[in-house]
Amino acid sequence: MLGYYILIGLIALVSFAVSSKLKSKFAEYSHLHLRNGMSGAEIATQMLQDHGIYDVKVISTPGQLTDHYNPADKTVNLSEGVYNQRNAAAAAVAAHECGHAVQHATAYNMLQLRSQLVPIVNVSSTLSQWLIFGGLILGAASGLGLGFYIAVIGLVLMAIATSFAFITLPVEYDASNRALAWLKNKNMVSQQEYAGAEDALKWAARTYVVAAIGALASLLYWALQVFGGSRDE
């Protein structure tokens, strides 16, 4: 168990470092004002229109870095700072979230797969560790008894959640690529503004990479606890 806590601690440390870097990048590029004077909301609206999407609403949502696209009600939700601000950071985030809307409109397969997994992951992420813990308490590592099968079910659920984390990576990177391509091709930003937007989105993507690696490391650790002990018997 000590090894698990060390692993979680290291992952949390890396996650904190990346998250802190992301926040500093967005703070830096929030001072890089757009030459076209457009707000994040206006950027988002323009990108949707340029892709022929007129049934998606751009709305403001409370909080910081709470931006997201909701495929259920077709809304691009921009945090208050992004919605109102007129800088490279706001443009990057607004265009990225619209990238998800474009994915939805064009039936991007990885987004569809992720959406289908959401209800399953909502359950599996909650139950997986409880089942693994319960199985180990019941003696999963001692052989093929009830505890072992309970723990294996927990591992399967954890594997589904881990797969979701990795499926998220191409979805996020593709949304960023769509955003940057549109900003560049439509001449929405200057070269300096584009570089800032690109850098900000790269650091945002790295938070998902860290999360995926953390999920995989946790899965492998618990798999070793369940199967490793069983082989030693």
Side-chain angles (χ1 to χ4, degrees):
M1 188 61 73
L2 177 61
Y4 176 70
Y5 287 125
I6 293 174
L7 174 65
I8 292 300
L10 290 173
I11 293 172
L13 185 62
V14 173
S15 179
F16 174 78
V18 173
S19 179
S20 297
K21 187 69 173 181
L22 171 62
K23 290 179 180 179
S24 69
K25 287 291 183 180
F26 272 90
E28 176 185 351
Y29 298 127
S30 66
H31 296 293
L32 183 56
H33 299 289
L34 296 181
R35 63 177 181 181
N36 61 21
M38 295 176 70
S39 67
E42 291 168 339
I43 288 285
T45 300
Q46 187 63 54
M47 181 171 174
L48 292 172
Q49 291 178 354
D50 285 349
H51 285 85
I53 301 173
Y54 298 97
D55 59 346
V56 172
K57 294 183 179 179
V58 179
I59 62 177
S60 177
T61 187
Q64 183 181 17
L65 297 180
T66 52
D67 312 88
H68 65 281
Y69 170 68
N70 188 339
D73 59 7
K74 291 189 175 183
T75 56
V76 170
N77 299 263
L78 302 179
S79 59
E80 294 169 342
V82 171
Y83 188 92
N84 295 307
Q85 295 301 311
R86 305 170 188 274
N87 52 58
V93 174
H96 172 87
E97 298 308 332
C98 287
H100 289 307
V102 175
Q103 289 174 336
H104 189 195
T106 57
Y108 177 56
N109 58 351
M110 296 302 288
L111 179 66
Q112 290 181 317
L113 178 58
R114 187 176 73 166
S115 298
Q116 291 168 358
L117 286 176
V118 167
I120 302 174
V121 172
N122 287 339
V123 175
S124 64
S125 59
T126 302
L127 291 179
S128 58
Q129 284 199 347
W130 287 107
L131 290 173
I132 294 172
F133 286 152
L136 289 173
I137 291 172
L138 291 173
S142 63
L144 301 178
L146 177 62
F148 176 81
Y149 290 113
I150 291 176
V152 169
I153 292 173
L155 285 175
V156 171
L157 293 178
M158 185 175 284
I160 293 173
T162 301
S163 299
F164 181 83
F166 278 91
I167 290 171
T168 294
L169 294 181
V171 174
E172 294 300 326
Y173 274 98
D174 179 78
S176 290
N177 289 337
R178 292 174 189 264
L180 292 170
W182 177 79
L183 288 172
K184 185 176 183 178
N185 294 337
K186 293 296 182 177
N187 198 31
M188 299 298 294
V189 291
S190 67
Q191 186 174 357
Q192 182 185 16
E193 294 162 358
Y194 178 86
E198 183 179 36
D199 192 33
L201 290 180
K202 281 183 178 179
W203 279 101
R206 284 167 186 163
T207 63
Y208 292 99
V209 174
V210 172
I213 293 174
L216 178 60
S218 184
L219 174 64
L220 292 176
Y221 175 85
W222 288 114
L224 286 174
Q225 300 309 302
V226 175
F227 295 109
S230 179
R231 287 197 302 268
D232 291 339
E233 292 297 321

